[in-house]
Amino acid sequence: MSPSRRLGRFFARVDQAAGGFAVDLALYGLSAVFALVTALNSTLLPHRAWGAIAVWAYAGAFLIAALQLTIYLLTRRRARRWRAGRATLTWLTWAGAALLPLVVQAVQRADGRTDRAQEEVLVVEHMGERLWTEGTPYLSREAIAALPADERLMGYSPYQPGMSIFGLPRALFGDVWWTDARIWFALTTAILLITAVLLLRRHPIVRALQVATVLPLCALTLATGGDDIPVLAFCLLALAFAATERFGWAGVAVGAAAACKLFALPVVAVLIILALARGRGGKLLPGALGLPILVLIPPFQVDQDAFLENVIRFPLGHGLVESPAQSPFPGYLIAQNVPSGRYVAVGLLLTVAAIIGVSLLWRPPRTAASASLICGWGLLAAILLVPTTRFGYLLYPVAFLVWVSALRPVHRNHTATSGPLDDTALYRQ
């Protein structure tokens, strides 16, 4: 047996220990500690406000998970209701640890609090306002240069045009709590994840769902900023569509992700290779490529260079101001401390991308699970090597890697009534 397969079986056994309840208990307990530390020590006020509410949601989930584990150990039952109970607790915890803090911060912000949203929320809302009034969500380089020096950073909008849709409610209906861009991030995410869960209802989905919702990396991001969460959800839904042979819808979902953020383009590339290898490229390509191109038409008609300034030059470090995405990963450290370090980091990134690209062509993925695995490791390498990045971007590779087990084909003898311990068979495929 290969080392990778042995490692997969080991993680499967750990994940399903005591019916999966043991890891649930650890996840909620560690999340409660993280939320408490954030509430007491974070220097970011939106994060502190999130932690003050989320800690109670995680603590409650920890107590319920402890009760579930105790009952399971006493009864040793593996009925479907135990799996349903885990999923229900996941949704309830997400509501308490992400959605409730989000709504509270949105309401407080509408009442005049200026410290209840991260900068990306304002950026997205400004994009929506510019799209509605000017036909493009981007300011030109000249317009940004004309702003006061301390306002130029907020003049940049480093997202694809599709992201501006989440800012349109604010532009149309004014500053009320439900027009906060995070409300629409959350609503979109909920719809997408519910759809993915329904598609994969015969798969072991609970752990994958937890990682995309209640994991603090996602819950905190959604409550305080949120723009990455619907992009991630679109990508996960695309993989779920591919796993269930719906490649046309997979193309629409991943195309929507790429229409919002360039970060989804590697996922687009991997799914295209998967679809071509399966002879389904004709179904996936129109949505996967058409939507990202379609959203470019309005801003290109108004000012093509403004798009390049915001989406290309600024993230690469060639804007009028420096990007605040400066987490101390290897790419950033190389760019800051090595002569011509930015070019060295970009060279390493391109080398890794070339290696992954050649391996994809030489041995293309054949399943959605293998595509998700490639996306996870590839994006992890990109996050570590890109000169400007954020710690929060790790939510992408973490989610893709955990979703591998949920995307694997289910054995014919695996039924909806199978217990959690039966799911270890999925890791042996």
Side-chain angles (χ1 to χ4, degrees), residues 251-263:
V252 172
V254 78
C260 293
K261 212 165 189 182
L262 290 177
F263 214 86

Side-chain angles (χ1 to χ4, degrees), residues 19 66-67 82 88 150 160 167 188 191 205 211 218 294 310 328 330 339 413 429:
L67 178 62
W82 294 110
T88 300
D150 59 349
Q160 286 278 81
T188 301
I191 293 172
I205 193 65
V211 170
C218 291
L294 184 64
N310 284 264
N413 62 354
Q429 295 187 32

Side-chain angles (χ1 to χ4, degrees), residues 42-220:
S42 177
T43 58
L44 300 174
L45 294 180
H47 289 203
R48 292 174 70 99
W50 168 82
I53 298 176
V55 63
W56 299 105
Y58 288 131
F62 176 81
L63 294 176
I64 295 174
L67 178 62
Q68 289 177 323
L69 175 60
T70 301
I71 296 174
Y72 178 85
L73 293 176
L74 291 174
T75 62
R76 305 299 299 177
R77 294 179 181 178
R78 304 176 184 178
R80 186 196 299 182
R81 64 176 175 271
W82 294 110
R83 300 178 68 187
R86 294 177 64 213
T88 300
L89 181 57
T90 298
W91 288 115
L92 291 175
T93 307
W94 189 51
L99 303 185
L100 178 59
L102 187 162
V103 171
V104 169
Q105 292 199 31
V107 171
Q108 291 177 343
R109 181 183 172 215
D111 289 339
R113 291 290 297 267
T114 59
D115 59 352
R116 286 297 180 260
Q118 292 185 178
E119 291 178 346
E120 52 263 37
V121 178
L122 280 67
V123 169
V124 171
E125 291 171 354
H126 291 163
M127 289 180 69
E129 182 179 355
R130 294 189 200 109
L131 178 66
W132 181 251
T133 59
E134 302 172 20
T136 176
Y138 306 112
L139 292 176
S140 67
R141 187 179 182 92
E142 293 75 18
I144 296 173
L147 296 173
D150 59 349
E151 297 181 13
R152 290 174 184 170
L153 177 61
M154 293 298 295
Y156 277 99
S157 304
Y159 308 125
Q160 286 278 81
M163 187 66 75
S164 60
I165 294 174
F166 295 101
L168 283 176
R170 201 78 163 185
L172 295 174
F173 301 104
D175 297 342
V176 292
W177 72 268
W178 56 268
T179 63
D180 191 298
R182 290 170 294 181
I183 297 293
W184 299 94
F185 292 152
L187 179 62
T188 301
T189 299
I191 293 172
L192 298 176
L193 289 179
I194 290 171
T195 304
V197 169
L198 292 175
L199 289 170
L200 301 173
R201 60 188 176 275
R202 293 184 179 274
H203 295 237
I205 193 65
V206 173
R207 190 73 65 222
L209 181 61
Q210 289 172 336
V211 170
T213 55
V214 301
L215 192 73
L217 196 61
C218 291
L220 170 62

Side-chain angles (χ1 to χ4, degrees), residues 130-131 134-138 140 161 292-308:
R130 294 189 200 109
L131 178 66
E134 302 172 20
T136 176
Y138 306 112
S140 67
I293 294 174
L294 184 64
V295 298
L296 293 177
I297 294 176
F300 269 51
Q301 287 182 329
V302 176
D303 190 342
Q304 177 179 336
D305 189 69
F307 168 83
L308 298 175

